[in-house]
Amino acid sequence: MDWNAKLPAEEGVHRAWEYTTKVLLDSRTDQLYDFPVDDVRECPLPEETARSWPNPCGYGTGTEDAMIHAGTMLDACLCRYEMEGDQEAGMVAHRLVAGMLRCAFSSDVKGFLPRGVMPADGKSHYIDSSRDQYTLFVFGAFRYLHSAICTEEERVGLTKALTEIAQRAQQNVVPEKNFDMLREDGGATLVNIMWGNSLGNHEYCRLPMIYLAAWDASKNEHWLMMYRKVREEAYRKSLPMSGYWHLYTLQQMQAALYVCREADPDAGWHEKYEYLMNIVSEYILKDVRKLESALPNLRKMGDEHYDFRRLLFQKRNVCVWEGLPDFCPIYEGQTTKFLLQDVANIVIVTAMTPGCPPSEEAIELYAKAFSMVDLDKYKGPLPIHFLQGYYRARQLFQRKN
């Protein structure tokens, strides 16, 4: 089977790469937002983030997933660089890391990782982050620290960021604080609990990943000890698989397992994580048929650029945000976006472990979904996920051959 022939045509991939790296990647902050920012006023301004408007996460503003986008695209760049020695991929990777470090050190609270910083000043941000932002930041940082292009200055910066995140986790992820990483102002978060019985199976290895990545970067034995304390329970509670709202949850689970598989120094644990990653891959491949039937009902993704202030706002009534604004702009294109991203995530997840690679049906579905993003008009973040899937799959098939 010629797997490369099943993947999207190189011309389309090139256009997705050009759009993502030359249009979407912001020249002021080196961050990827949900749309190309022509005018800084299209994003929240410092006075708006200072009062958590329209909500403490910045949901609906297009800036709320910058660290997820960074870790995802950084992996795509590194796969491309590792396969081709492509200098452009290396330069984009350096920019993404600069943006990640800008974000990690934008707060006066050590270890608090904002979702992203605003283009207006390159520093202002919202006070509530998420488990998912931390996950993809740590995954991207780990991948980059083990790459051939990481400079000494970048190594120092990423090691500092990972260590401070681990310190914050040790301080806050305790029973007395409901295992919550906490907001920048010390309040409870909406989606940043890292341990305890409220987690889904896909979330248990996030905390071990944080401690293990800090040890891997710093070689401080304290973080290896903290990792070993939670490793067994996290591994056990990572099964059984269950239902998931969308498949980005499994992309993030696989990213955490990847770091644990690659960094754990103890005998037998590489194989144990590989086994678990194969189960995740087998599970996600079951969604191919369901998504195949959903695709014909979706519209082609065109111009998705929007100003959040012009959208309708919905009151969320979030109890942990009591006393703060909790309005969310309503964006009608989310269903199509998430379903197309689900298809990309099937390829990303299965391409991260050789034991259960993408099926022929998954690659064909991925190519169809990719073709539904109108690159002549589209102004959104979907190409980031399709690029990671493309370069992950190509690298896997290259190694198998």
Side-chain angles (χ1 to χ4, degrees):
M1 174 67 65
D2 182 2
W3 289 106
N4 286 328
K6 297 283 185 181
L7 288 166
E10 286 189 13
E11 179 188 357
V13 175
H14 174 72
R15 292 178 66 199
W17 175 271
E18 291 290 294
Y19 161 73
T20 303
T21 61
K22 294 182 171 59
V23 179
L24 193 61
L25 183 56
D26 192 81
S27 61
R28 291 155 293 217
T29 64
D30 292 319
Q31 293 188 10
L32 292 160
Y33 304 108
D34 282 0
F35 56 85
V37 181
D38 299 321
D39 187 321
V40 298
R41 291 171 294 183
E42 295 173 308
C43 292
L45 298 172
E47 55 267 29
E48 291 173 313
T49 61
R51 60 187 177 96
S52 293
W53 179 261
N55 58 75
C57 284
Y59 283 148
T61 66
T63 64
E64 65 266 41
D65 286 331
M67 290 301 96
I68 289 176
H69 296 335
T72 301
M73 187 62 190
L74 183 55
D75 186 58
C77 290
L78 292 174
C79 288
R80 175 167 161 159
Y81 182 85
E82 289 158 358
M83 283 189 297
E84 304 169 4
D86 181 66
Q87 295 303 308
E88 184 183 356
M91 288 189 293
V92 174
H94 286 302
R95 286 187 62 192
L96 290 168
V97 169
M100 290 166 67
L101 291 173
R102 174 190 286 272
C103 190
F105 298 128
S106 65
S107 173
D108 294 332
V109 178
K110 287 186 177 182
F112 174 75
L113 180 72
R115 292 167 170 269
V117 296
M118 300 304 123
D121 62 359
K123 183 177 175 63
S124 58
H125 52 264
Y126 286 96
I127 62 172
D128 202 354
S129 188
S130 78
R131 182 172 46 242
D132 300 347
Q133 310 295 324
Y134 280 92
T135 299
L136 269 297
F137 178 96
V138 173
F139 168 72
F142 175 82
R143 280 280 283 131
Y144 194 76
L145 283 166
H146 286 268
S147 75
I149 60 176
C150 182
T151 68
E152 184 58 26
E153 183 180 0
E154 291 168 331
R155 186 177 306 281
V156 170
L158 289 171
T159 299
K160 184 174 187 287
L162 291 173
T163 301
E164 289 182 355
I165 289 171
Q167 289 169 340
R168 185 166 179 81
Q170 183 178 3
Q171 175 186 337
N172 292 335
V173 184
V174 294
E176 297 77 18
K177 298 180 181 179
N178 195 31
F179 304 108
D180 192 340
M181 287 288 277
L182 300 183
R183 299 194 307 253
E184 186 179 34
D185 65 354
T189 67
L190 181 63
V191 284
N192 213 356
I193 290 174
M194 286 283 186
W195 197 248
N197 294 329
S198 66
L199 295 187
N201 76 291
H202 61 286
E203 295 162 335
Y204 273 101
C205 280
R206 316 292 182 92
L207 181 63
M209 171 197 65
I210 287 173
Y211 289 142
L212 188 57
W215 168 76
D216 182 76
S218 68
K219 295 300 181 279
N220 183 333
E221 292 295 314
H222 172 77
W223 300 119
L224 184 58
M225 177 195 71
M226 292 297 296
Y227 163 71
R228 286 171 172 155
K229 279 184 177 180
V230 294
R231 176 178 61 186
E232 294 277 358
E233 183 177 351
Y235 186 88
R236 186 176 70 252
K237 289 184 174 179
S238 292
L239 292 175
M241 303 297 289
S242 58
Y244 307 95
W245 183 58
H246 278 290
L247 300 182
Y248 68 78
T249 54
L250 299 186
Q251 176 207 9
Q252 292 159 14
M253 180 181 186
Q254 202 77 321
L257 293 174
Y258 177 95
V259 174
C260 292
R261 180 189 69 183
E262 297 300 306
D264 193 311
D266 296 334
W269 277 95
H270 179 96
E271 292 75 17
K272 287 170 73 76
Y273 284 119
E274 181 73 17
Y275 169 77
L276 191 50
M277 291 177 76
N278 287 339
I279 290 178
V280 178
S281 293
E282 289 167 3
Y283 180 93
I284 204 170
L285 283 172
K286 295 175 184 177
D287 273 23
V288 168
R289 191 163 296 176
K290 180 179 74 174
L291 287 167
E292 198 169 33
S293 63
L295 237 58
N297 301 317
L298 302 180
R299 62 182 177 83
K300 194 165 187 176
M301 294 292 281
D303 186 0
E304 304 301 320
H305 194 167
Y306 61 92
D307 182 337
F308 77 95
R309 298 177 191 85
R310 298 182 181 180
L311 299 175
L312 291 174
F313 280 30
Q314 181 179 34
K315 187 87 162 62
R316 292 178 61 102
N317 296 314
V318 177
C319 61
V320 297
W321 290 344
E322 187 176 356
L324 295 167
D326 64 346
F327 298 93
C328 190
I330 301 171
Y331 166 48
E332 295 180 355
Q334 289 291 76
T335 299
T336 298
K337 172 193 166 186
F338 277 127
L339 287 172
L340 292 177
Q341 187 177 326
D342 284 345
V343 177
N345 281 329
I346 289 176
V347 174
I348 292 168
V349 166
T350 52
M352 290 180 76
T353 177
C356 186
S359 63
E360 183 176 351
E361 294 77 13
I363 293 294
E364 289 175 348
L365 182 65
Y366 165 84
K368 287 179 187 175
F370 184 89
S371 70
M372 294 181 67
V373 181
D374 187 344
L375 293 169
D376 288 325
K377 300 178 181 177
Y378 183 68
K379 295 293 185 291
L382 273 173
I384 297 168
H385 304 277
F386 280 100
L387 286 169
Q388 188 192 15
Y390 176 81
Y391 287 112
R392 269 276 158 198
R394 267 197 59 200
Q395 187 178 59
L396 177 67
F397 298 146
Q398 185 182 85
R399 287 172 176 170
K400 288 175 77 73
N401 292 332

